[in-house]
Amino acid sequence: MTVSSDSGSGLPTHTVKGPLVDPSVHSDGEISFRDIADLVWSGRWLILVVASAVLAMSLFYVWTAKPQYKSMGLVQAEQKEKGLGSAFNELSAMMGSAGVSGIAAEIAIIKSRMILGTVAEKMKLPIKVRPNYFPLFGEAVARRRADFLQPAEPPLGLSKFAWGGEKITVSVFDVPESLQDTAFRLVAGSEGGYSVVMPGGLGTFDGKVGESVAIKLGDEQIRVFVQELRARAGTEFSLLRRSPGQMYSLMQTRLTVAEQAKESGIIQITYQDEDAAAAAAVVNVIEDEYLRQNVERKSEEAEQSLQFVNKQLPEVKTSLEEAQAKLNSYQLDKGTADVQKETDLALNRAVELETQRLGLQQQREAALQRFTLRHPIVQTLDEQIRALGAESEKLKDQVRQLPARQQEIFSLMRDLKVNSELYVTLLNSSQQLQVAKAGTVGSVRIIDRALKPRSPSAPNKGLIVSGAFVMGLFIGLVMVFVRRALLRGVDRPDEVEQKLGLPTYASIPFSSQQRRVNQQQRGSKVSSKILANVASNDPAIEALRSLRTSIHFALMESGSNVVMLTGPVPGIGKSFVSVNFGAVLAMGGKRVAVIDCDLRRGTIHKYLDGEAGSGVSDYVVDANLSHDSIVRKTPIEGLVLVSRGTTPPNPSEVLLHARFSDLVARLSENYDYVLLDTPPVLPVADASIIGQLAGCTLVVLKSAEHPLRAIEETIRRLRHSNVEVKGVVFNQVGAKMGSYGYYGYGYGYDYAYKY
């Protein structure tokens, strides 16, 4: 390989003898980091466009999204129970029933229908009335005009929509159960009037602000009371009443209840709403309702315990009086007897055991009011009672060993002491319960009231916008790699070399200058549309300079100066390569003639004045024309063009004519190089005919455009016609999205006359 610098260009160029191999592609087929970087760079505009589109959508979303406000309050739930039920509660805790009065239970109570349903009714949350906004952005516009004292004027006569400044308050809206969760339409009228359109074609009724309206609907009725209405006549509102289930589900999604710190007993209540004031109000009402029900529950428990104690007091008092009477009677009959020390100890123990048994018996009766006989708590109490009974039997055995007189005294004094202590205990309990009932404060207290939030908690605009931009970049990258994976054409020169054994003589990159020149060819009347003349330092022209030396050595072997450039299908840039390659040769001091042999759709004349004029077909048909008369000069010294001429009805027969061969031979004698721009191989057979006159044939391929089978078929047809293909030229490298470039174009195999 020989490398040299072209002094006529502002950019360094490489002259290569022999085939070109793309250095970015590894021979083992692996893709390097540089390949990936090139692919990403080539798709940078797609990535930026996608990222910008996603960013724009995110900006529109944050502009139109409803702000959400969160308000928070704190309550404390005391878990330590005091009073008569402490022993029973401790037993419940040991049996795994602590959750009944634990924090989890308190949280469940706060989130229950008992609390939330009452809160919803007190705050009239089931009634939902909302202005009818213009789709997509109408609500966002109206929200920014919420402080207007008068309703904003509607744009473009869209008077039925709300545009800001509207206000409505509906205090009463009762509908049959079948019409709950169904939207009614309220239309503002003039002078405080309004109309309500019922759903399902049930009719319309009118009302006035400040006056209650009741409409009979079968056996039921609809009641509406509009407390306030400020809107233009014709403005529409949506009015509905949520069902209890729907209201409860909605509040559940907006409510968060959690213990602030583990085992702290401090419960945090958070509510989210579109209205900042409503969010704080809901939390405060929830706290009030939670406190109220807790106080009522504690008062109810005290009342139940008091009733139980008052029921036991008469019975215990009767038992106490009977025991006292029996002891007095015995003492009158037998006289007062001294109690021995052994008897006194047994008596105290017996009183203790009996007191414990009666206490457990009372707990068992209280437990049976809540649980069944098979409940673990009841069974545990039964076991404890049986254990005390067994110990009492042992004590009785000891007492039986005492003298008979001591046994009688023991029995009477035991009954008296047991009933006396039990009576005193019940009497104290009754007094305590009466005090507790009168001054019940509950086990809950409000620590912090909710405050109106000053700023929304959602949406997080910064996070959404930045996240959307990152997501857009990612989606753009994915699209670039997907487009790359879906490419059906060959864009790697080494693949052609390995599969077909053809060297790559040049890889011509796509550039913005090339695109502009192509656009000029299709439209304007610019005198010079040759890229080599307009932008001689363009990378595509630099690549054609590297082709110059390769062609020189290829023609030395063939002994001819005629080069044919063809390709599989139309639209791959053969004419661009032919004209600009001829220009590069001419700029190097050579005399070059470029012949447009595509008699059907040739476009070389568009590089000059845009008119085909006299050309190849005219020379072949008209024997009086000389070859000099059809040669057209260009702005580049040494470069001439021969157009296709008048489109003939039989292009193939024209190309087979002897005068066409004569034209090529005469130009070959007078010029250093003759470049033949031919029709594509696959649609027509013209290239196979023209190839007989060329000393060197190059197949121009558009990068990533042709499947390998199409290239194989092109080479096969040429070789079948005894046309030797020297190599290939990759054109518009990077033009196809995913092939390390951009600006993809679609081409087909159709080929027709173009005038």
Side-chain angles (χ1 to χ4, degrees), residues 412-430:
L412 293 173
M413 294 185 68
R414 181 196 63 187
D415 293 342
L416 179 61
K417 280 191 173 185
V418 168
N419 286 288
S420 178
E421 291 187 8
L422 184 60
Y423 182 74
V424 172
T425 301
L426 289 175
L427 193 61
N428 291 335
S429 298
S430 177

Side-chain angles (χ1 to χ4, degrees), residues 219-234:
D219 297 334
E220 299 174 307
Q221 68 175 2
I222 298 175
R223 294 179 62 244
V224 181
F225 180 75
V226 179
Q227 182 177 340
E228 181 183 9
L229 176 59
R230 185 179 69 196
R232 288 174 286 96

Side-chain angles (χ1 to χ4, degrees), residues 176-436:
E177 185 177 350
S178 60
L179 293 178
Q180 291 179 350
D181 299 322
T182 304
F184 288 62
R185 185 159 54 93
L186 188 149
V187 183
S190 58
E191 299 180 356
Y194 62 86
S195 299
V196 177
V197 181
M198 294 184 289
L202 296 177
T204 304
F205 61 89
D206 299 329
K208 196 171 185 64
V209 176
E211 298 179 1
S212 180
V213 180
I215 302 298
K216 290 287 291 183
L217 197 64
D219 297 334
E220 299 174 307
Q221 68 175 2
I222 298 175
R223 294 179 62 244
V224 181
F225 180 75
V226 179
Q227 182 177 340
E228 181 183 9
L229 176 59
R230 185 179 69 196
R232 288 174 286 96
T235 304
E236 296 183 357
F237 297 82
S238 174
L239 177 64
L240 66 83
R241 182 177 182 87
R242 297 186 180 96
S243 62
Q246 183 72 16
M247 189 69 248
Y248 177 70
S249 300
L250 178 63
M251 295 189 72
Q252 283 275 36
T253 59
R254 296 181 175 183
L255 179 67
T256 303
V257 184
E259 190 175 11
Q260 194 173 45
K262 188 176 182 180
E263 299 181 358
S264 66
I266 306 298
I267 301 176
Q268 178 176 301
I269 304 173
T270 306
Y271 193 79
Q272 178 176 296
D273 197 273
E274 300 169 6
D275 188 340
V282 169
V283 174
N284 289 329
V285 177
I286 288 176
E287 289 180 339
D288 293 337
E289 285 301 310
Y290 176 53
L291 177 61
R292 180 193 59 78
Q293 67 82 29
N294 182 266
V295 171
E296 291 179 354
R297 179 165 59 90
K298 294 299 179 184
S299 179
E300 182 181 355
E301 290 177 356
E303 175 66 23
Q304 291 179 353
S305 299
L306 182 61
Q307 290 177 2
F308 176 77
V309 170
N310 290 336
K311 180 181 178 182
Q312 296 292 322
L313 272 174
E315 298 177 2
V316 175
K317 184 178 180 181
T318 301
S319 299
L320 176 62
E321 290 173 349
E322 291 177 355
Q324 183 68 52
K326 287 181 181 180
L327 180 61
N328 292 337
S329 177
Y330 180 83
Q331 289 178 344
L332 289 174
D333 292 341
K334 306 295 183 179
T336 303
D338 295 331
V339 180
Q340 297 180 1
K341 183 177 181 180
E342 183 180 358
T343 304
D344 187 58
L345 293 174
L347 178 62
N348 292 335
R349 179 58 180 162
V351 170
E352 180 183 353
L353 291 175
E354 186 63 17
T355 302
Q356 292 179 5
R357 187 189 69 79
L358 291 175
L360 291 174
Q361 189 66 36
Q362 291 177 1
Q363 292 183 25
R364 183 178 184 275
E365 292 180 8
L368 287 175
Q369 295 180 4
R370 301 186 184 184
F371 312 113
T372 64
L373 289 172
R374 295 184 179 181
H375 195 277
I377 291 179
V378 178
Q379 293 181 356
T380 300
L381 291 171
D382 289 340
E383 289 292 333
Q384 293 178 352
I385 292 172
R386 282 194 291 269
L388 291 175
E391 191 171 351
S392 297
E393 290 297 327
K394 291 180 182 179
L395 186 60
K396 287 180 181 179
D397 292 340
Q398 296 178 10
V399 173
R400 290 190 187 100
Q401 297 176 5
L402 297 174
R405 187 177 178 83
Q406 294 293 328
Q407 291 185 31
E408 292 178 3
I409 294 174
F410 172 85
S411 176
L412 293 173
M413 294 185 68
R414 181 196 63 187
D415 293 342
L416 179 61
K417 280 191 173 185
V418 168
N419 286 288
S420 178
E421 291 187 8
L422 184 60
Y423 182 74
V424 172
T425 301
L426 289 175
L427 193 61
N428 291 335
S429 298
S430 177
Q431 293 175 353
Q432 292 176 3
L433 287 170
Q434 288 177 359
V435 173

Side-chain angles (χ1 to χ4, degrees), residues 71 83 147 175 265 293 331 363 375 460 470 488 490-491 495 500 505 548 579 650 680 691 737 741:
S71 188
D147 297 333
V175 299
Q293 67 82 29
Q331 289 178 344
Q363 292 183 25
H375 195 277
N460 189 331
V470 173
R488 66 186 183 91
V490 176
D491 67 338
E495 188 173 356
L500 303 179
Y505 277 83
R548 181 171 54 192
V579 172
N650 51 349
M737 176 61 67

Side-chain angles (χ1 to χ4, degrees), residues 560-562 593 595 619 627 657-674 676 693-694:
S560 172
N561 63 348
V562 179
I595 306 176
Y619 177 81
H627 67 277
H657 200 281
R659 282 185 60 82
F660 176 71
S661 303
D662 177 69
L663 173 63
V664 174
R666 288 179 179 274
L667 293 176
S668 176
E669 294 175 358
N670 297 331
Y671 293 88
D672 298 319
Y673 291 96
V674 176
L676 306 179
L693 306 176

